[in-house]
Amino acid sequence: HPFAIAAAAYHEMRHHGTNQSVLVSGESGAGKTETTKFLLNFLAALSATSLEHPEEPSNFSSIEQRLLQSNPILEAFGNAKTLRNDNSSRFGKFIQVNFGPDGAIHAGRIS
């Protein structure tokens, strides 16, 4: 499950200080883009959670908002209709999310 994988990666990063990677792959129309959106939203919510009140997520920072809002812009370029998918991406995406020592997103890059 994507959320379990994201939670495990975030936990390893926060508690063991190890860099993490998540690879989303599959056939055309399998839901890679949607899964990536779910992962980014989940990681943004985890990073926005207040350390004093973990059950009460705070508002997303401007960095988190910009990272989450960038995907539709990228999807507007290079997508095509295929037999299996009306909005198929014509290119791969590498999304790098950098977290600070406090567990909050400090930077991100999509290429």
Side-chain angles (χ1 to χ4, degrees):
H1 193 278
F3 297 117
I5 291 169
Y10 187 81
H11 174 80
E12 287 295 315
M13 177 199 67
R14 291 280 290 140
H15 297 285
H16 301 289
T18 54
N19 292 334
Q20 300 295 305
S21 296
V22 176
L23 176 66
V24 180
S25 65
E27 294 182 11
S28 177
K32 297 177 295 294
T33 299
E34 291 303 312
T35 299
T36 301
K37 288 180 198 176
F38 291 144
L39 290 171
L40 287 174
N41 275 298
F42 185 72
L43 290 171
L46 283 177
S47 76
T49 301
S50 166
L51 297 176
E52 296 82 29
H53 304 285
E55 69 282 354
E56 299 175 18
S58 63
N59 292 329
F60 290 150
S61 73
S62 65
I63 293 172
E64 291 158 347
Q65 288 174 353
R66 282 188 268 170
L67 186 65
L68 295 173
Q69 292 170 351
S70 65
N71 198 49
I73 295 168
L74 288 175
E75 285 185 29
F77 298 99
N79 285 3
K81 185 174 181 176
T82 66
L83 292 176
R84 302 178 94 188
N85 189 348
D86 285 341
N87 193 28
S88 181
S89 297
R90 301 286 90 203
F91 55 90
K93 296 180 202 84
F94 177 76
I95 303 171
Q96 181 177 348
V97 181
N98 298 327
F99 294 85
D102 58 353
I105 293 176
H106 283 217
R109 183 177 80 191
I110 300 175
S111 56

